[in-house]
C-alpha cells in the first residue's frame, strides 16, 4: 500500500501539531489553574487577615480609651460619682459601641453608670468585676445577663457584649474601684460589612465567620450558625497562629474554598485568639479556573485547525515540484515531450530534475550513436549500399 506524499505530509503536520498543542495545553492549563487557585485562595486569606487586623485594632483602641478614662478617674483622688458619671457619659457619646460603662467601688457596688443603669447594684459575682479587680481584663463575647432587659434593643436579637475592665488606682496604689465597660458585639458586624462590601460587588456567595478560641464557637456569621461549634482542620492550623487557605468539606457536606487568619493582637493588646474564616463554594470560587480551562481548550482546538491548514499549504508547496517532475516523466514516456524541463523549487528537487534531464540526454545520445553505428555496420562505406550483413538480416526477416 502506498500513499501520496501530500497526504502523508498533511497527516504528519496534523498529528505533530495535535500532539504539541495537547501537551502544551495540558502544561499551561495545569500551571494557570494552579496559579489562579492560589490567587483566589490568597484573596480569601487576605480578606480574613484584614478582618482579624480590624478586630484587633478596634479592640486595642477601645481598650486604650478605657485605660485613659481609668487614669482620669484615678487622678481625681477619691472619685466623685457625679464627675465619673459625666466622664463615662462623654466616652459613650464619643464611641457608641460602648453599650454600658460603669464604675464600682472596691466591693463591686456600681457607683456611676451610663444612663444610671445598674447603679446601686452589685457586680461582685460577675467576671467583669472579679477579673477586673485583679488587673486589666478583656473578656470574650458573651450574652447579656443583667443588661438584657435594661438596654434598648430595637432589632430584637439577643444582646452580646465584649467586656473590658480595669482596677482604678492612684499612684500610691490605693484601690478606688473597678471601671467596667460592655461593648456591643454589633460593632463586629459593621466591621464585617465594610470588609465584605468590595467582594459583595463581585459575588454574594462569600461568607465570613468569627470563631472563638476556647470552644471554637461561631461568634459571628450566618444567623443560623451563630453559637454553634465549628470543626475544621484549618482551625487546628490557626491554633499555631498561622494564616492560610484550603479547600475543605464543611459540616453541611459541601466543599468550600476557605481562607483563615488568626487574631494575634495589636501592639500591647494581646488579642482574644479569634479566628476569622472566610468561605466561598468551590464551584463559584474557581469559576474563573473553569472559564480559563475552557478558553485554553478552544484555543488549542483553533491552534490545531490552524496548524492543519498551514500543514496542508506547506504539504502542497513541498509536493508540487515532485508532482511536476512525475508528470514530465510520464509525458516523456508517452512521447509527448523529448526532454525533461528544468524544475525549480527546493534545492534537492532541482538537483534531481537536472540529474534526470542529463540522464535522458545521455541516453538519447547513446541511442543516436548506436543508430549511426548500426547504419555503418549494414552499408558499404564507399557506395553507401547495403552490404552482406544487411542482406543476411533482410533474408532472416524475409524467410520468417
Amino acid at each position: 500500500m502506498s500513499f501520496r506524499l501530500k497526504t502523508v505530509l498533511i497527516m504528519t503536520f496534523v498529528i505533530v501539531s495535535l500532539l504539541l498543542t495537547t501537551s502544551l495545553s495540558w502544561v499551561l492549563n495545569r500551571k494557570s489553574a494552579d496559579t489562579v487557585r492560589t490567587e483566589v485562595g490568597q484573596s480569601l486569606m487576605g480578606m480574613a487577615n484584614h478582618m482579624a487586623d480590624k478586630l484587633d485594632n478596634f479592640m486595642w483602641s477601645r481598650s486604650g480609651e478605657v485605660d485613659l478614662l481609668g487614669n482620669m478617674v484615678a487622678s481625681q483622688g477619691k472619685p466623685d460619682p457625679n464627675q465619673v458619671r459625666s466622664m463615662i457619659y462623654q466616652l459613650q457619646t464619643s464611641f457608641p459601641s460602648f453599650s454600658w460603662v460603669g464604675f464600682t467601688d472596691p466591693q463591686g457596688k456600681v457607683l456611676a453608670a451610663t444612663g444610671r443603669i445598674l447603679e446601686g447594684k452589685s457586680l461582685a459575682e460577675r467576671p467583669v468585676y472579679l477579673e477586673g479587680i485583679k488587673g486589666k481584663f478583656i473578656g470574650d463575647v458573651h450574652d447579656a445577663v443583667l443588661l438584657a432587659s435594661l438596654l434598648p434593643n430595637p432589632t430584637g436579637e439577643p444582646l452580646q457584649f465584649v467586656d473590658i475592665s480595669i482596677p482604678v488606682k492612684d499612684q500610691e496604689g490605693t484601690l478606688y474601684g473597678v471601671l467596667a465597660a460592655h461593648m456591643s458585639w454589633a460593632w463586629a458586624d459593621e466591621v464585617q460589612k465594610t470588609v465584605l462590601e468590595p467582594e459583595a460587588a463581585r459575588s454574594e456567595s462569600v461568607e465570613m465567620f468569627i470563631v472563638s478560641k476556647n470552644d471554637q464557637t461561631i461568634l459571628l456569621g450566618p444567623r443560623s450558625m451563630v453559637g454553634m461549634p465549628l470543626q475544621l482542620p484549618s482551625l487546628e492550623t490557626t491554633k499555631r497562629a498561622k494564616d492560610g487557605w484550603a479547600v475543605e468539606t464543611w459540616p453541611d457536606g459541601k466543599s468550600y474554598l476557605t481562607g483563615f487568619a488568626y487574631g494575634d493582637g495589636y501592639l500591647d493588646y494581646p488579642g482574644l485568639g479569634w479566628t476569622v474564616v472566610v468561605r466561598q463554594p468551590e464551584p463559584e470560587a474557581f469559576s474563573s479556573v473553569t472559564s480559563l480551562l475552557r478558553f485554553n481548550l478552544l484555543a488549542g482546538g483553533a491552534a490545531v485547525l490552524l496548524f492543519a491548514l498551514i500543514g496542508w499549504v506547506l504539504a502542497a508547496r513541498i509536493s508540487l515540484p515532485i508532482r511536476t517532475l512525475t508528470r514530465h516523466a510520464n509525458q516523456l514516456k508517452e512521447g509527448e515531450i523529448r526532454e525533461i524541463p528544468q524544475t525549480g523549487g527546493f534545492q534537492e528537487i532541482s538537483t534531481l530534475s537536472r540529474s534526470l534531464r542529463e540522464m535522458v540526454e545521455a541516453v538519447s545520445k547513446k541511442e543516436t550513436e548506436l543508430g549511426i553505428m548500426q547504419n555503418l555496420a549494414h552499408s558499404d562505406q564507399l557506395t553507401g549500399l547495403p552490404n552482406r550483413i544487411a542482406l543476411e538480416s533482410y533474408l532472416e526477416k524475409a524467410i520468417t
Side-chain angles (χ1 to χ4, degrees):
M1 180 181 293
S2 60
F3 298 94
R4 296 177 60 186
L5 177 62
K6 181 179 179 180
T7 303
V8 172
L9 290 175
I10 291 176
M11 293 302 299
T12 302
F13 271 108
V14 171
I15 294 174
V16 171
S17 62
L18 182 61
L19 290 176
L20 288 177
T21 303
T22 302
S23 301
L24 187 60
S25 297
W26 182 82
V27 174
L28 291 178
N29 283 347
R30 185 167 183 176
K31 181 65 177 178
S32 57
D34 289 344
T35 301
V36 174
R37 285 173 180 268
T38 301
E39 289 178 355
V40 176
Q42 287 181 344
S43 69
L44 292 189
M45 182 187 71
M47 195 183 307
N49 193 281
H50 182 47
M51 180 65 178
D53 287 344
K54 277 202 165 190
L55 291 175
D56 287 339
N57 189 282
F58 185 91
M59 289 296 296
W60 170 77
S61 299
R62 303 294 83 80
S63 173
E65 288 148 9
V66 173
D67 285 339
L68 178 61
L69 180 59
N71 292 332
M72 292 173 61
V73 173
S75 66
Q76 298 177 352
K78 186 177 182 180
D80 178 14
N82 292 325
Q83 292 182 350
V84 174
R85 188 180 300 112
S86 176
M87 287 189 288
I88 60 178
Y89 175 77
Q90 292 178 5
L91 176 64
Q92 187 185 48
T93 302
S94 302
F95 302 99
S97 56
F98 287 107
S99 297
W100 180 87
V101 184
F103 175 69
T104 73
D105 62 14
Q107 288 73 41
K109 179 180 178 181
V110 180
L111 300 178
T114 53
R116 292 182 176 271
I117 298 174
L118 296 182
E119 285 189 4
K121 304 291 184 180
S122 175
L123 301 182
E125 302 298 326
R126 305 303 304 162
V128 70
Y129 167 80
L130 294 174
E131 300 296 332
I133 201 170
K134 302 175 186 177
K136 188 172 185 177
F137 167 70
I138 300 178
D140 210 336
V141 180
H142 65 87
D143 294 329
V145 179
L146 296 176
L147 298 174
S149 59
L150 301 177
L151 292 175
N153 185 14
T155 64
E157 296 181 3
L159 294 178
Q160 289 185 307
F161 297 121
V162 177
D163 296 337
I164 301 177
S165 57
I166 58 172
V168 178
K169 300 178 180 180
D170 59 16
Q171 295 182 352
E172 287 73 25
T174 303
L175 177 65
Y176 294 119
V178 174
L179 181 64
H182 290 313
M183 288 194 305
S184 172
W185 183 234
W187 63 266
D189 190 49
E190 295 299 323
V191 175
Q192 180 195 54
K193 290 178 180 178
T194 62
V195 175
L196 288 179
E197 186 175 1
E199 186 65 27
R202 298 190 296 269
S203 173
E204 297 181 354
S205 61
V206 176
E207 295 177 307
M208 181 177 290
F209 302 79
I210 299 177
V211 183
S212 68
K213 180 180 181 180
N214 296 330
D215 52 6
Q216 296 184 350
T217 301
I218 297 175
L219 304 176
L220 183 67
R223 186 175 302 177
S224 60
M225 299 180 68
V226 173
M228 298 175 58
L230 181 62
Q231 301 295 331
L232 289 175
S234 58
L235 295 180
E236 298 299 323
T237 301
T238 57
K239 286 182 179 180
R240 298 189 294 272
K242 291 185 178 181
D243 303 341
W245 65 273
V247 177
E248 295 183 315
T249 301
W250 280 56
D252 60 1
K254 298 180 180 179
S255 181
Y256 294 87
L257 176 64
T258 308
F260 45 90
Y262 179 79
D264 54 359
Y266 181 75
L267 297 180
D268 59 345
Y269 167 64
L272 294 173
W274 292 332
T275 298
V276 180
V277 181
V278 181
R279 76 175 187 181
Q280 186 176 17
E282 185 180 8
E284 296 185 29
F286 295 142
S287 59
S288 58
V289 177
T290 304
S291 300
L292 179 62
L293 295 179
R294 187 181 300 114
F295 172 79
N296 287 342
L297 288 176
L298 292 176
V304 170
L305 294 177
L306 178 61
F307 280 122
L309 178 60
I310 294 175
W312 182 82
V313 173
L314 289 178
R317 178 75 177 84
I318 292 172
S319 63
L320 178 60
I322 297 179
R323 289 186 284 116
T324 302
L325 190 60
T326 303
R327 187 177 67 254
H328 289 162
N330 290 332
Q331 291 175 345
L332 177 65
K333 183 180 69 174
E334 299 295 333
E336 297 177 7
I337 58 175
R338 298 187 59 83
E339 63 180 12
I340 295 180
Q342 181 67 38
T343 302
F346 298 98
Q347 182 179 357
E348 291 80 1
I349 303 299
S350 179
T351 302
L352 177 61
S353 173
R354 185 169 59 252
S355 298
L356 290 177
R357 178 186 175 92
E358 292 174 355
M359 184 184 68
V360 170
E361 290 176 352
V363 171
S364 299
K365 184 178 179 181
K366 293 296 183 182
E367 288 181 350
T368 302
E369 291 177 351
L370 287 174
I372 293 174
M373 292 177 65
Q374 187 176 16
N375 289 335
L376 291 175
H378 288 77
S379 62
D380 183 73
Q381 294 186 6
L382 180 61
T383 63
L385 297 175
N387 58 15
R388 183 177 178 179
I389 296 176
L391 176 61
E392 291 177 354
S393 176
Y394 171 78
L395 289 177
E396 287 179 1
K397 295 180 180 180
I399 291 172
T400 303

